Amino acid sequence: MSVVVQNIRRVERHIVDQIQHFGVATVHEAQGRTGLLAPYMRPIYAGARVAGNDVTVSVAPCDNWMIHVAVEQCREGDILVVAPTSFSDAGYFGDLLATSLMSRGVRGLIIDAGVRDIRDLKDMGFPVWSKCVYAQGAVKETLGSVNVPVVCAGALIHPGDLIVADDDGVCIVPRKKAGDVLQNSIAREEKEAKNRARFKAGELGLDLYKMRERLAERGLKYVDQADDE
Amino acid sequence: MSVVVQNIRRVERHIVDQIQHFGVATVHEAQGRTGLLAPYMRPIYAGARVAGNDVTVSVAPCDNWMIHVAVEQCREGDILVVAPTSFSDAGYFGDLLATSLMSRGVRGLIIDAGVRDIRDLKDMGFPVWSKCVYAQGAVKETLGSVNVPVVCAGALIHPGDLIVADDDGVCIVPRKKAGDVLQNSIAREEKEAKNRARFKAGELGLDLYKMRERLAERGLKYVDQADDE
Amino acid sequence: MSVVVQNIRRVERHIVDQIQHFGVATVHEAQGRTGLLAPYMRPIYAGARVAGNDVTVSVAPCDNWMIHVAVEQCREGDILVVAPTSFSDAGYFGDLLATSLMSRGVRGLIIDAGVRDIRDLKDMGFPVWSKCVYAQGAVKETLGSVNVPVVCAGALIHPGDLIVADDDGVCIVPRKKAGDVLQNSIAREEKEAKNRARFKAGELGLDLYKMRERLAERGLKYVDQADDE
Amino acid sequence: MSVVVQNIRRVERHIVDQIQHFGVATVHEAQGRTGLLAPYMRPIYAGARVAGNDVTVSVAPCDNWMIHVAVEQCREGDILVVAPTSFSDAGYFGDLLATSLMSRGVRGLIIDAGVRDIRDLKDMGFPVWSKCVYAQGAVKETLGSVNVPVVCAGALIHPGDLIVADDDGVCIVPRKKAGDVLQNSIAREEKEAKNRARFKAGELGLDLYKMRERLAERGLKYVDQADDE
Amino acid sequence: MSVVVQNIRRVERHIVDQIQHFGVATVHEAQGRTGLLAPYMRPIYAGARVAGNDVTVSVAPCDNWMIHVAVEQCREGDILVVAPTSFSDAGYFGDLLATSLMSRGVRGLIIDAGVRDIRDLKDMGFPVWSKCVYAQGAVKETLGSVNVPVVCAGALIHPGDLIVADDDGVCIVPRKKAGDVLQNSIAREEKEAKNRARFKAGELGLDLYKMRERLAERGLKYVDQADDE
Amino acid sequence: MSVVVQNIRRVERHIVDQIQHFGVATVHEAQGRTGLLAPYMRPIYAGARVAGNDVTVSVAPCDNWMIHVAVEQCREGDILVVAPTSFSDAGYFGDLLATSLMSRGVRGLIIDAGVRDIRDLKDMGFPVWSKCVYAQGAVKETLGSVNVPVVCAGALIHPGDLIVADDDGVCIVPRKKAGDVLQNSIAREEKEAKNRARFKAGELGLDLYKMRERLAERGLKYVDQADDE
């Protein structure tokens, strides 16, 4: 059955806006090393960093009809997530859909397929993380669903979950955990800032993390290079 | 038999120069969603957009001898297309060949294999779309052919066809269709410009393309999110 | 057995610093077309060019413990080479380890696996060549070795070998051959500079390399395009 | 949190045993073209066809500790589903674990990673669908979970769902839909049997499916080959 | 424009039936090392060897409508070649279409996409060479063409060309060259049979092909293994 | 410099012949989880299991000249290892070379590239582990070396090392460690035989390996499935 779920619950805006300052690596660690999408999901241009509530779209292979349906469900601060029901490289998305999404305040697109018009998207400042870049057009023949759970690039994503994306890729935070993950991210970043200063000053990880004893226990040996090597 | 076909017919210059203003996605749509090379063909640097008549080269695997032969056949406004007769990642092309081609007014290179010296090529402003970047040198032992039909990255390309390439990839337009495709591209772009303005103003694709009725006929349902989701 | 080999011999600094001016393609040719790492090794940002003595690390899959051990073995002018003992995409390296390495004068990282925090690494000016970008964290459970020979991206690398890396990829020069390869690189570059000038002036490779006679002997034919093509 | 969910609900045995007679392609169609795992999931030997209730295991990368935990949760008629939390090629599973599972009546393994001892597994008649074959050993260091929802090869799988697997790959049927999908599979197979007989007798799909009129409406033209082609 | 070209010219049957006895490797060499499809084209079961005139089908991505149209154009001794206009893994073909083709005497299928029902196809003895095995169903919405030139797995194929396929892959012989290629294949096979006997008797390729002198001229050195190696 | 190293030291025959009875997985574990070649190395037919001393060949891309040179260096009980100096899919090896090797008692081929005539090779009982199957012919133009260390499919292999290969892939054992690895393999296999019997009798790995306590310490929880799941 094809369905559009309306009025989904979202993460509170202040959480979204705070977590935007942390990178994908930090958020991934802050929720116990979970939530990453597959490493083939790459940004179409470097330097973008976004966070937002996702609106999910399940589309038939090579068919972008439901993306138009999904646009109407998007609000300011959202990120659109598009997942075909079968593996596909076609280009489901270009500058017109991006213009439509930007007019509604949408912050970016995550698509487990292809995207096109990437020079225009970069000029517009509309970031996209995709499996590939490909101009192959899609058709508008088959229904799909909006705001149902989807598997996108190996990750399970529910509507209203929190998406964080930057040059490292894409991470998904379940809606109900967003507050906790934000707190963990803040705590982790503070700790890392201190460590960063110590590393910068020349301290070694071996000492900072007190690894020497455990390494020796495990049997690590230090030798000098032999003369004939 | 190895052969160099000389004095190939080309697309008229005014058509080439006009079509250069349209992107790959537009031209691909304007000729009925055909002509794209495989999505693994990526530019070595972002931002280039070119159009030109192609000179084709069929080379033996790991052998770039015939590229030197092909240079002599190139004229101002041409784009060189290199296709090995077997899958290969070697680097058949670097800054010296690019210097030679630029001195003849050639606008770029499409190669279904590897390329090297890409920092120099970027500094020179010589754009390349390739399967990969790889410094592995090629030999000069086996003949091939120049200006014969080749299959390059999954597309059939004849000498004198029109190549359009940008950040979205590469599209081939058969020589005799170039005029029509230019007209279709102009028409499509005009229509898209109008739609872009309406999208920017907040109009939805659902309304602009009058999709609501057809979606309902197909059975699309709208529901609110359940309380326990 | 897990071992850390200390006080490895290195290439003399003046050789390292001179070879830094030559690109990967030149050095690869200058040592007889050998030494390239696999083409999937790509820089995380464009434009970096480095040379340095390598410190090698053999790590267990998804385990970055030994990288901390290796940092202590690094000196100014070194490049860290990380090779998992099994294929892996995890992100073994981020901005904290880079900070630590930079404080010791290390010039870059070559890793046959994933890397994260790449926006920070770019801002810091710490170049990395990696198989992929992926934020997936690694554990610290299993020993490995430092400064033993490793296979990294298809190439055999000994500690103290010379690494050259730029936008074309990564090339390894055995320590004892570094002096000769430098001389060959200088000679090659001089020759190419002359050829570059001649290409720029419009001379053809066919004439510059005296290819016409050999091509004719092999049977290359020149014909004009037929009227009905 | 790491958790083992016990006493999961399963599909009724008579449904499982009946659906075993239908192939993956039929079941996939019978539930509306959904449920397929990625095409890289291939059987380690040809000819196996199984259906069963799944027990799911979420494992850390390169760590097979939780598979031992999962064995205890398996019953006769089950199929084990193993999904690493990060992409991995390691060999998490071999003939000892298979022996253990067979002693409990488990019918097969679906693993989004590597498997080893495949000659023994074939001799034992224990079928496996996996991403690859690789002997690389796994460690036992990190907890995971048993019988939680997992994403395996691009599909969302809940504990107690129905797995169907054969030479075409793997299909997942949600537990609550299993009865309906069985009915649809029976109906589809009956219809296909009739069509198969008509095809065998030489009837064309064009006539059987009454396609000629619709093709003509869309504009399909029939021409004879030109004399000069 | 979508078109079905009827009454294509074919290679004479006696040539087809004779060339069937030679493998893909022989035919590929016999026509000057050309004509191979990409190595990702693999048979769904081992041991099949076929030759036949091809009927080509150009299909839209994920759409198998035109395959039904193509069946009607097939005759005894033909091989069907299916090429999507964009990269696709969907399963366009299963046992019903195979039944229909077999009733017309078609000898096999070459498809640059997915195939399903492979156990049934093997039982029926209908060989298929495909990019992958995948049960994902296709739709019937968009026209394509039959018996036009197509690019399939990197090779240009015209209707009525001769296809040879076995466990090594697929090779295409242009229709007009089929007679000559058959003669070359016979000659090559005779020569290889003699060489095979000499190799079996222990003669070395170095002597049989008189390589020793040329190797020495090029500078090949023979040394004994050093004592410390 | 191109060189042929003659009279290499080999592993004693009784060790080779004994280790042949153990699979790749066992030998890989018996030498501390090292020595595996990349998982893309697959046998051309199922069921072969070999062990032998390797003769290594370093070949130029798409050039199989040196394989003929290497044949002369092979003795009974050897396995030929072919590694191109650059990534390549060409078919360097077919039934004639196999006939030549079999006449000398060579047990198989490991090649990090393509192979052809695989139906004949299977009929002859000459096993090959390769990156791919591809009929593309190679040339004989460029020297390489025989019996030098090579990197093959990600593993460093010296001449005279011990190769073990079966359906799980390929494992390399350094010559000097072969005796110890054999002893470890025997011990491991004995232990596994005992465990296999206990698993067969229904004992759980949790109990056999005494895992329950450690799992509880790490915090593993057991719960029953909730009623609303």
Side-chain angles (χ1 to χ4, degrees):
Chain A
M1 196 189 72
S2 296
V3 68
V4 180
V5 179
Q6 302 184 105
N7 301 314
I8 57 167
R9 278 172 291 285
R10 288 168 166 86
V11 175
E12 293 168 69
R13 175 60 63 85
H14 72 95
I15 294 177
V16 176
D17 289 345
Q18 282 185 82
I19 215 163
Q20 192 158 358
H21 300 112
F22 301 100
V24 161
T26 296
V27 171
H28 158 70
E29 292 282 350
Q31 67 175 333
R33 297 196 166 168
T34 59
L36 289 179
L37 273 63
Y40 63 70
M41 295 295 286
R42 302 298 305 142
I44 57 168
Y45 57 88
R49 172 176 287 185
V50 298
N53 286 286
D54 67 68
V55 165
T56 64
V57 201
S58 172
V59 298
C62 309
D63 194 308
N64 69 353
W65 202 13
M66 294 308 290
I67 299 182
H68 286 281
V69 176
V71 171
E72 190 177 28
Q73 304 305 318
C74 290
R75 299 184 188 164
E76 202 204 324
D78 282 349
I79 289 178
L80 193 66
V81 170
V82 178
T85 53
S86 175
F87 291 69
S88 170
D89 285 337
Y92 297 68
F93 189 94
D95 77 302
L96 288 190
L97 277 164
T99 302
S100 185
L101 286 172
M102 284 190 86
S103 81
R104 298 179 78 80
V106 174
R107 295 177 175 179
L109 169 74
I110 314 294
I111 181 165
D112 193 2
V115 63
R116 63 188 194 182
D117 301 325
I118 66 167
R119 191 164 83 160
D120 297 324
L121 297 176
K122 186 179 176 184
D123 290 345
M124 293 162 65
F126 187 83
V128 176
W129 286 257
S130 70
K131 185 164 74 168
C132 64
V133 174
Y134 199 29
Q136 174 67 37
V139 298
K140 290 175 183 62
E141 298 285 353
T142 307
L143 292 189
S145 289
V146 175
N147 281 331
V148 296
V150 294
V151 173
C152 180
L156 175 62
I157 304 183
H158 289 83
D161 283 347
L162 177 57
I163 297 282
V164 181
D166 64 14
D167 289 349
D168 283 353
V170 184
C171 190
I172 163 75
V173 181
R175 180 168 56 87
K176 291 184 178 168
K177 295 187 180 169
D180 289 346
V181 171
L182 172 61
Q183 293 314 314
N184 291 351
S185 298
I186 293 170
R188 184 179 168 87
E189 185 50 38
E190 281 173 2
K191 191 176 134 201
E192 291 222 330
K194 287 179 194 158
N195 288 345
R196 196 175 289 113
R198 290 170 69 178
F199 279 126
K200 205 166 186 174
E203 197 169 346
L204 288 168
L206 289 176
D207 300 313
L208 196 154
Y209 299 125
K210 299 188 187 358
M211 292 171 169
R212 292 188 193 273
E213 193 176 358
R214 191 168 159 240
L215 287 163
E217 279 171 12
R218 293 284 183 98
L220 188 64
K221 299 294 172 210
Y222 286 79
V223 301
D224 273 1
Q225 194 172 37
D227 282 345
D228 60 348
E229 268 183 283
Chain B
M1 197 188 72
S2 296
V3 69
V4 180
V5 179
Q6 302 185 103
N7 301 314
I8 57 166
R9 277 171 291 286
R10 289 169 164 86
V11 175
E12 292 167 69
R13 175 60 61 86
H14 72 95
I15 294 177
V16 176
D17 288 346
Q18 282 185 82
I19 215 164
Q20 192 156 358
H21 299 112
F22 301 100
V24 161
T26 296
V27 170
H28 158 70
E29 292 282 350
Q31 66 176 333
R33 296 197 167 167
T34 60
L36 289 180
L37 273 63
Y40 63 71
M41 295 296 286
R42 300 299 304 142
I44 58 168
Y45 57 88
R49 173 175 286 185
V50 296
N53 286 286
D54 67 67
V55 165
T56 64
V57 201
S58 172
V59 297
C62 308
D63 194 308
N64 69 353
W65 202 11
M66 293 309 289
I67 299 182
H68 286 281
V69 176
V71 171
E72 192 177 27
Q73 305 305 318
C74 290
R75 299 185 187 163
E76 203 203 324
D78 282 348
I79 289 178
L80 193 65
V81 170
V82 178
T85 53
S86 175
F87 290 69
S88 170
D89 284 338
Y92 296 69
F93 189 95
D95 77 300
L96 288 189
L97 277 164
T99 303
S100 185
L101 286 173
M102 284 189 87
S103 81
R104 300 177 78 79
V106 173
R107 296 178 175 181
L109 170 74
I110 313 295
I111 181 165
D112 192 0
V115 63
R116 64 188 195 181
D117 301 324
I118 67 167
R119 191 164 82 160
D120 297 324
L121 296 176
K122 187 179 176 184
D123 290 346
M124 293 161 64
F126 187 82
V128 177
W129 285 256
S130 70
K131 185 164 75 169
C132 65
V133 174
Y134 198 29
Q136 174 68 38
V139 297
K140 290 173 183 64
E141 299 285 352
T142 307
L143 293 188
S145 289
V146 174
N147 280 332
V148 295
V150 295
V151 173
C152 181
L156 174 62
I157 305 184
H158 289 83
D161 282 348
L162 177 58
I163 298 281
V164 181
D166 64 14
D167 289 349
D168 283 353
V170 184
C171 190
I172 162 74
V173 181
R175 180 168 56 87
K176 291 184 178 169
K177 295 186 181 170
D180 288 348
V181 171
L182 172 61
Q183 294 314 314
N184 291 351
S185 297
I186 292 169
R188 184 179 167 87
E189 186 50 39
E190 280 173 4
K191 190 175 135 203
E192 291 221 331
K194 285 179 196 159
N195 287 345
R196 195 174 291 113
R198 290 169 69 178
F199 279 126
K200 205 166 186 173
E203 196 169 347
L204 288 168
L206 289 175
D207 300 313
L208 195 153
Y209 300 124
K210 299 188 185 3
M211 292 172 169
R212 292 188 192 274
E213 194 177 357
R214 191 168 158 241
L215 287 163
E217 279 171 13
R218 293 284 183 99
L220 187 65
K221 299 293 174 208
Y222 286 79
V223 301
D224 274 0
Q225 194 173 37
D227 282 345
D228 60 348
E229 269 183 281
Chain C
M1 198 187 72
S2 295
V3 69
V4 180
V5 179
Q6 302 183 105
N7 301 314
I8 57 168
R9 277 172 290 285
R10 288 167 165 86
V11 176
E12 292 167 71
R13 174 62 60 86
H14 72 94
I15 295 176
V16 176
D17 289 346
Q18 282 184 81
I19 215 164
Q20 193 156 358
H21 300 112
F22 301 101
V24 161
T26 296
V27 171
H28 158 70
E29 292 282 350
Q31 67 175 334
R33 297 198 166 166
T34 60
L36 290 180
L37 274 62
Y40 62 71
M41 295 295 286
R42 300 299 304 143
I44 58 168
Y45 57 88
R49 171 176 288 186
V50 297
N53 286 286
D54 67 68
V55 165
T56 64
V57 202
S58 172
V59 298
C62 308
D63 194 307
N64 68 355
W65 202 11
M66 293 307 289
I67 299 181
H68 286 280
V69 176
V71 171
E72 191 178 26
Q73 304 305 318
C74 291
R75 299 187 188 162
E76 202 203 324
D78 282 348
I79 289 178
L80 194 65
V81 170
V82 178
T85 53
S86 175
F87 290 69
S88 169
D89 284 338
Y92 296 70
F93 189 94
D95 76 302
L96 288 190
L97 277 164
T99 303
S100 185
L101 286 172
M102 284 189 86
S103 81
R104 299 179 78 80
V106 174
R107 295 178 174 179
L109 169 74
I110 312 295
I111 181 166
D112 192 1
V115 63
R116 63 188 195 181
D117 301 325
I118 66 168
R119 191 164 82 161
D120 297 324
L121 297 176
K122 186 180 176 182
D123 290 346
M124 294 161 63
F126 186 82
V128 177
W129 285 258
S130 69
K131 184 163 76 168
C132 64
V133 174
Y134 197 30
Q136 174 68 38
V139 298
K140 291 174 183 63
E141 297 285 353
T142 306
L143 292 189
S145 290
V146 174
N147 280 333
V148 295
V150 295
V151 173
C152 180
L156 174 62
I157 304 184
H158 289 84
D161 282 348
L162 177 57
I163 298 282
V164 181
D166 65 14
D167 289 350
D168 283 352
V170 184
C171 190
I172 162 74
V173 181
R175 179 169 56 87
K176 292 183 178 168
K177 295 186 182 170
D180 288 347
V181 172
L182 172 59
Q183 294 314 314
N184 292 351
S185 297
I186 292 170
R188 184 179 167 87
E189 185 50 39
E190 280 174 3
K191 190 176 136 203
E192 292 221 329
K194 285 178 195 158
N195 288 345
R196 196 174 290 113
R198 291 168 69 178
F199 279 126
K200 207 167 185 172
E203 195 169 347
L204 288 168
L206 288 176
D207 299 313
L208 196 154
Y209 299 125
K210 301 188 186 356
M211 292 171 168
R212 292 188 193 273
E213 194 177 357
R214 191 168 159 240
L215 287 163
E217 278 170 13
R218 293 285 184 97
L220 187 64
K221 299 292 173 209
Y222 286 79
V223 301
D224 274 1
Q225 196 173 37
D227 282 346
D228 60 347
E229 268 182 281
Chain D
M1 197 187 71
S2 296
V3 69
V4 180
V5 178
Q6 301 184 105
N7 301 314
I8 57 167
R9 277 170 291 285
R10 289 169 165 86
V11 175
E12 292 167 70
R13 175 60 62 86
H14 71 94
I15 294 176
V16 175
D17 288 345
Q18 282 185 82
I19 215 164
Q20 193 156 358
H21 300 112
F22 301 101
V24 162
T26 296
V27 171
H28 157 71
E29 293 282 350
Q31 66 175 334
R33 298 198 166 165
T34 60
L36 289 179
L37 274 64
Y40 62 71
M41 295 296 285
R42 300 298 304 141
I44 58 169
Y45 57 88
R49 171 176 287 185
V50 297
N53 286 287
D54 68 67
V55 165
T56 64
V57 201
S58 173
V59 298
C62 307
D63 195 307
N64 68 353
W65 202 12
M66 294 308 289
I67 298 182
H68 286 280
V69 176
V71 172
E72 192 177 27
Q73 304 305 317
C74 291
R75 299 184 188 164
E76 203 204 322
D78 283 348
I79 289 177
L80 193 66
V81 171
V82 178
T85 53
S86 175
F87 290 69
S88 169
D89 284 339
Y92 296 70
F93 189 95
D95 77 301
L96 288 189
L97 278 163
T99 303
S100 185
L101 287 173
M102 284 189 87
S103 80
R104 302 178 77 80
V106 173
R107 295 178 175 179
L109 169 74
I110 313 295
I111 181 165
D112 192 1
V115 64
R116 63 188 195 181
D117 301 324
I118 66 166
R119 192 165 80 160
D120 298 324
L121 298 176
K122 186 179 176 185
D123 288 347
M124 295 161 62
F126 187 83
V128 177
W129 286 257
S130 69
K131 185 164 74 169
C132 64
V133 174
Y134 198 29
Q136 173 67 38
V139 299
K140 290 174 183 62
E141 298 283 354
T142 307
L143 292 188
S145 289
V146 175
N147 280 332
V148 296
V150 296
V151 173
C152 180
L156 174 63
I157 304 183
H158 289 84
D161 282 348
L162 177 56
I163 298 282
V164 181
D166 64 14
D167 289 349
D168 284 353
V170 185
C171 189
I172 163 75
V173 181
R175 180 169 55 87
K176 291 183 178 168
K177 295 185 181 170
D180 288 348
V181 171
L182 172 60
Q183 294 313 314
N184 292 350
S185 297
I186 293 169
R188 183 179 167 87
E189 185 51 38
E190 281 173 3
K191 191 175 136 203
E192 292 222 330
K194 287 179 195 158
N195 288 344
R196 194 175 291 114
R198 292 169 70 179
F199 280 126
K200 205 165 186 174
E203 196 169 345
L204 288 167
L206 289 176
D207 300 312
L208 196 155
Y209 300 124
K210 301 187 187 358
M211 292 171 168
R212 292 187 193 275
E213 193 177 358
R214 192 168 158 241
L215 287 163
E217 280 170 14
R218 292 286 184 97
L220 187 64
K221 299 293 173 209
Y222 286 79
V223 301
D224 274 1
Q225 195 173 36
D227 282 345
D228 60 347
E229 267 183 280
Chain E
M1 196 187 71
S2 295
V3 69
V4 180
V5 178
Q6 302 185 104
N7 301 314
I8 57 167
R9 277 171 291 285
R10 288 167 165 87
V11 175
E12 292 167 70
R13 175 60 61 87
H14 72 93
I15 295 177
V16 175
D17 288 346
Q18 283 184 81
I19 216 163
Q20 193 156 356
H21 300 112
F22 301 100
V24 161
T26 296
V27 171
H28 157 70
E29 292 283 349
Q31 67 175 332
R33 298 198 164 166
T34 59
L36 290 179
L37 274 63
Y40 62 71
M41 295 296 285
R42 300 299 304 142
I44 59 168
Y45 58 88
R49 171 176 287 184
V50 297
N53 287 287
D54 67 67
V55 165
T56 64
V57 200
S58 172
V59 298
C62 307
D63 194 307
N64 68 353
W65 202 12
M66 292 309 288
I67 299 182
H68 286 281
V69 176
V71 171
E72 192 177 27
Q73 305 305 318
C74 290
R75 299 184 187 163
E76 203 204 323
D78 283 348
I79 289 178
L80 193 67
V81 170
V82 178
T85 53
S86 175
F87 290 69
S88 169
D89 284 337
Y92 296 69
F93 189 94
D95 76 302
L96 288 189
L97 277 164
T99 303
S100 185
L101 287 172
M102 283 189 88
S103 81
R104 301 178 77 81
V106 174
R107 296 179 174 178
L109 169 73
I110 313 294
I111 180 165
D112 193 1
V115 64
R116 65 189 193 180
D117 301 325
I118 67 167
R119 191 164 81 158
D120 297 324
L121 297 176
K122 186 179 175 183
D123 289 346
M124 295 161 63
F126 187 82
V128 177
W129 286 257
S130 69
K131 185 163 75 169
C132 64
V133 174
Y134 198 29
Q136 174 69 38
V139 298
K140 290 174 183 62
E141 298 284 354
T142 307
L143 291 189
S145 290
V146 174
N147 281 332
V148 295
V150 295
V151 173
C152 179
L156 174 63
I157 304 183
H158 289 84
D161 283 347
L162 177 57
I163 298 281
V164 181
D166 64 14
D167 289 349
D168 284 352
V170 184
C171 189
I172 162 75
V173 181
R175 180 169 55 87
K176 292 184 179 169
K177 295 187 182 169
D180 288 346
V181 171
L182 171 60
Q183 294 314 314
N184 291 350
S185 297
I186 293 170
R188 183 178 168 87
E189 185 50 39
E190 281 173 2
K191 190 176 135 202
E192 292 222 329
K194 286 178 194 158
N195 288 344
R196 196 174 290 114
R198 291 169 70 178
F199 279 126
K200 207 166 185 174
E203 196 169 345
L204 288 168
L206 289 176
D207 300 312
L208 196 154
Y209 299 125
K210 300 188 185 1
M211 292 171 167
R212 291 189 193 274
E213 194 177 359
R214 192 166 158 241
L215 287 163
E217 279 171 14
R218 291 286 184 97
L220 187 64
K221 300 293 173 209
Y222 285 80
V223 301
D224 273 1
Q225 194 172 37
D227 282 345
D228 60 347
E229 267 183 279
Chain F
M1 195 187 71
S2 295
V3 69
V4 180
V5 179
Q6 301 184 106
N7 301 313
I8 57 166
R9 277 171 290 285
R10 289 168 164 85
V11 175
E12 293 167 69
R13 175 61 61 87
H14 73 94
I15 294 176
V16 176
D17 288 345
Q18 283 184 81
I19 215 164
Q20 193 156 358
H21 300 112
F22 301 100
V24 162
T26 296
V27 172
H28 158 70
E29 292 282 351
Q31 66 175 334
R33 298 197 164 165
T34 59
L36 289 179
L37 274 65
Y40 62 71
M41 295 296 285
R42 301 298 304 142
I44 57 168
Y45 57 88
R49 172 177 287 185
V50 297
N53 286 286
D54 67 67
V55 166
T56 63
V57 201
S58 173
V59 298
C62 308
D63 194 308
N64 69 353
W65 203 11
M66 293 308 289
I67 299 182
H68 286 281
V69 176
V71 172
E72 191 177 28
Q73 304 304 318
C74 290
R75 300 183 188 165
E76 202 204 323
D78 283 348
I79 288 178
L80 193 66
V81 170
V82 178
T85 53
S86 175
F87 289 69
S88 169
D89 284 338
Y92 296 69
F93 189 94
D95 77 301
L96 287 189
L97 278 163
T99 302
S100 185
L101 287 172
M102 284 189 88
S103 80
R104 301 178 76 81
V106 174
R107 295 177 175 180
L109 170 73
I110 313 296
I111 181 165
D112 192 2
V115 63
R116 63 189 194 181
D117 300 326
I118 67 167
R119 191 164 82 160
D120 298 323
L121 297 176
K122 186 179 176 184
D123 289 346
M124 295 161 62
F126 187 82
V128 177
W129 286 257
S130 70
K131 186 164 75 170
C132 63
V133 174
Y134 197 30
Q136 174 68 38
V139 297
K140 290 175 184 62
E141 298 284 355
T142 306
L143 292 189
S145 289
V146 175
N147 281 332
V148 295
V150 295
V151 173
C152 180
L156 173 62
I157 304 184
H158 289 84
D161 283 348
L162 178 56
I163 298 282
V164 181
D166 65 14
D167 289 350
D168 283 353
V170 184
C171 189
I172 163 75
V173 181
R175 181 170 55 88
K176 292 184 178 167
K177 295 186 181 171
D180 288 348
V181 171
L182 172 61
Q183 294 313 315
N184 292 351
S185 297
I186 292 170
R188 184 179 168 87
E189 186 49 38
E190 281 173 3
K191 191 176 135 203
E192 292 221 330
K194 286 178 194 157
N195 288 345
R196 195 175 291 114
R198 292 169 69 179
F199 279 126
K200 206 165 186 174
E203 197 169 344
L204 287 168
L206 288 176
D207 300 313
L208 196 154
Y209 300 124
K210 301 187 186 358
M211 292 171 168
R212 292 189 193 274
E213 194 178 357
R214 191 167 159 241
L215 286 164
E217 279 171 13
R218 292 285 183 97
L220 187 64
K221 300 293 174 211
Y222 286 81
V223 301
D224 274 0
Q225 195 173 36
D227 282 345
D228 60 346
E229 267 181 280

